[in-house]
Amino acid sequence: MGALAASARQEIVDVLPRMGVVSVAELAVTLGRPADSLYYHLRILKRVGLVLSAGYRMIAGRREALFQAVAADMKLHYELGKNGNGKEVNAIVASMLRLGMRDFNRSVEAGEAAVSGPNRELWALRETGWLSQEQIGEVNRYIVKLMRAAARTGPDGRLYGVTVLLTPLDRPSNRHEEDE
């Protein structure tokens, strides 16, 4: 889990399953990073089993290493409580949120994203409310649907990042019991 606490490695794991088998140069173009900066991160991801070597190909007389994700869909396993993996999961979530903020800031500065209408591309929101177990189930179904919609493969269209955080706000003054 520690390997995913670095934003660069999180980005690689985010896009690599959608790209299939790619070279470092192709990955660098997609991420907007220098290819040289990705080799270190790919080695770490390979060592922990999240990225696989996919052979080589020749380009203009040069041998180019190819990589692929270990799986099309990777999920974190949460172990809650004092003896769980909360510290590691929190570090990965912090990395996800940093990436989301960086990408949001870049889009705002570039001024090239739709911010209203049916094809809106830039969102920032926070909503709080008291939800029943049935409503939590509905929220989860929407999150899964959103994840599936965003997890399209291939280079068609524009690359987007979607960052979602759902968490209970267990503050004693905020709990509403249904039997009140």
Side-chain angles (χ1 to χ4, degrees), residues 23-163:
S23 69
V24 174
E26 292 165 322
L27 187 59
V29 168
T30 299
L31 298 178
R33 291 180 175 265
D36 291 347
S37 72
L38 296 179
Y39 284 103
Y40 168 77
H41 298 293
L42 284 164
R43 277 194 301 273
I44 290 172
L45 291 170
K46 234 176 93 177
R47 187 174 63 231
V48 299
L50 294 174
V51 169
L52 301 171
S53 287
Y56 297 91
R57 70 176 168 210
M58 297 300 290
I59 298 287
R62 240 183 53 227
R63 192 169 109 157
E64 192 173 59
L66 300 173
F67 298 91
Q68 68 183 45
V70 70
D73 188 27
M74 293 185 256
K75 292 183 172 46
L76 289 175
H77 175 74
Y78 299 8
E79 295 173 11
L80 304 179
K82 290 181 183 180
N83 297 322
N85 63 358
K87 185 175 180 180
E88 293 85 1
V89 169
N90 282 333
I92 294 168
V93 171
S95 174
M96 291 176 186
L97 294 172
R98 280 191 310 273
L99 283 170
M101 282 305 307
R102 184 205 65 194
D103 296 338
F104 188 88
N105 287 331
R106 284 181 180 171
S107 292
V108 168
E109 289 175 11
E112 297 178 3
V115 295
S116 63
N119 293 320
R120 184 174 181 168
E121 300 173 288
L122 198 58
W123 280 87
L125 61 98
R126 177 174 166 88
E127 190 66 52
T128 59
W130 286 267
L131 303 175
S132 67
Q133 287 302 302
E134 181 181 319
Q135 291 164 320
I136 284 292
E138 183 179 12
V139 168
N140 277 283
R141 286 186 293 278
Y142 285 134
I143 290 171
V144 168
K145 187 175 180 178
L146 174 63
M147 180 183 65
R148 287 182 181 149
R152 301 287 185 236
T153 58
D156 296 337
R158 190 174 187 183
L159 184 62
Y160 288 88
V162 177
T163 306

